[in-house]
Amino acid sequence: MEIALLKKELAKKNKELEELKIYESEYKVKITTGYLSAFIDLMHQFPELRIPTNDGTRLMSASTDTVWAKMICKYFQHGDKALNIETIRSRFTSDKEKPNTKYRPIRDKDKIFKIVSNED
Amino acid sequence: MEIALLKKELAKKNKELEELKIYESEYKVKITTGYLSAFIDLMHQFPELRIPTNDGTRLMSASTDTVWAKMICKYFQHGDKALNIETIRSRFTSDKEKPNTKYRPIRDKDKIFKIVSNED
């Protein structure tokens, strides 16, 4: 009986793993060393983008900031180094006016790129 | 004996799952309905970005295109709909000059945003 239960549990876990692995990538996108903040600055701009032809509706909306940190750590690396989730999380805040103490804002010198409307 | 082996296997799978789940997000970023292509167009621009102060070095490089499709399907949704990996994969090609037959390029009307250097 215990064997049957264990086998069932194992099959369930294997199925869960299989589903998650669809999205696993052997290779990450490599961000050029020294430009991680410039990249994160682009991520900060994403939820601010407004569609010019659509009454200023946002292009996208995230109900939580954590999703950006998770995405960055999963699919990007800084030079040859993997990214640490806590470090990346500290670069995001849900409220830039009242950030928590761990928040590390992007310095102006790292704001290298900006996303603009093609109409401009 | 079989029980011990099954338990060991189960523990291994649980550990694998636990590690993957660090990056799982309950909430995805919602792309405004009708603007999925505009968003993908921004993703296309990413690997083309060159650092203006660094002899034109790229901001990032991806050794495979699949990583973008996986990232998009995992962390984004189109309105309330989950994204299909094959559909998103068809929007990426490693060679825009000689794309494979499944490739669906971004139409000009969907190229709403562009990423520019802050110096411009």
Side-chain angles (χ1 to χ4, degrees):
Chain A
M1 181 55 190
E2 193 178 5
I3 288 184
L5 273 178
L6 280 168
K7 280 187 175 166
K8 199 177 158 191
E9 187 69 9
L10 195 57
K12 200 182 115 195
K13 298 291 173 184
N14 276 330
K15 190 162 176 282
E16 259 185 82
L17 272 171
E18 208 174 289
E19 281 165 11
L20 287 178
K21 282 184 176 169
I22 297 170
Y23 306 103
E24 288 302 293
S25 177
E26 193 182 345
Y27 303 102
K28 300 195 182 205
V29 179
K30 188 186 279 194
I31 298 164
T32 300
T33 303
Y35 294 92
L36 179 59
S37 295
F39 170 74
I40 292 174
D41 179 51
L42 279 171
M43 296 296 106
H44 284 185
Q45 294 177 51
F46 268 3
E48 306 294 332
L49 294 175
R50 290 181 188 274
I51 302 160
T53 51
N54 192 352
D55 286 336
T57 303
R58 287 178 201 269
L59 178 64
M60 65 189 98
S61 64
S63 56
T64 159
D65 270 308
T66 325
V67 65
W68 300 109
K70 287 179 174 174
M71 180 193 86
I72 292 169
C73 291
K74 190 162 185 81
Y75 292 105
F76 296 85
Q77 61 187 50
H78 185 201
D80 291 325
K81 289 182 193 143
L83 295 167
N84 176 279
I85 186 93
E86 288 310 319
T87 310
I88 301 300
R89 217 173 250 174
S90 74
R91 310 307 304 268
F92 289 86
T93 177
S94 54
D95 185 350
K96 279 190 184 172
E97 302 300 314
K98 289 179 193 169
N100 68 37
T101 50
K102 284 183 185 162
Y103 179 61
R104 288 178 51 227
I106 306 288
R107 294 172 296 184
D108 282 345
K109 77 170 186 65
D110 290 324
K111 296 180 179 173
I112 300 179
F113 297 101
K114 65 172 178 242
I115 307 174
V116 298
S117 158
N118 240 333
E119 288 180 348
D120 295 344
Chain B
M1 180 56 190
E2 193 178 5
I3 288 184
L5 274 177
L6 280 168
K7 281 188 175 165
K8 199 176 157 191
E9 186 69 9
L10 195 57
K12 199 182 114 195
K13 298 291 172 183
N14 276 331
K15 191 161 175 282
E16 260 185 81
L17 271 171
E18 207 174 288
E19 281 164 13
L20 287 178
K21 280 185 176 167
I22 297 171
Y23 306 103
E24 288 302 294
S25 177
E26 194 182 345
Y27 303 102
K28 300 195 182 204
V29 179
K30 189 186 278 196
I31 298 163
T32 301
T33 303
Y35 295 92
L36 178 59
S37 294
F39 170 73
I40 292 174
D41 180 52
L42 279 172
M43 295 297 105
H44 284 186
Q45 292 177 52
F46 268 5
E48 305 295 331
L49 294 174
R50 289 179 188 274
I51 302 159
T53 52
N54 192 350
D55 286 336
T57 303
R58 288 178 200 271
L59 178 64
M60 65 188 96
S61 64
S63 55
T64 158
D65 269 309
T66 326
V67 65
W68 299 109
K70 288 178 174 175
M71 180 194 86
I72 293 169
C73 291
K74 190 163 186 78
Y75 291 105
F76 296 84
Q77 61 186 51
H78 186 202
D80 291 325
K81 289 184 193 141
L83 295 167
N84 174 278
I85 186 93
E86 290 309 319
T87 309
I88 301 300
R89 217 173 251 174
S90 73
R91 310 308 304 269
F92 288 87
T93 177
S94 53
D95 185 350
K96 278 192 184 169
E97 302 299 314
K98 288 180 195 169
N100 69 36
T101 50
K102 283 181 184 163
Y103 178 60
R104 286 179 52 228
I106 306 288
R107 292 171 298 182
D108 282 345
K109 77 172 187 61
D110 290 323
K111 295 180 180 175
I112 301 180
F113 297 101
K114 64 173 178 238
I115 307 175
V116 298
S117 158
N118 240 333
E119 288 181 348
D120 297 342

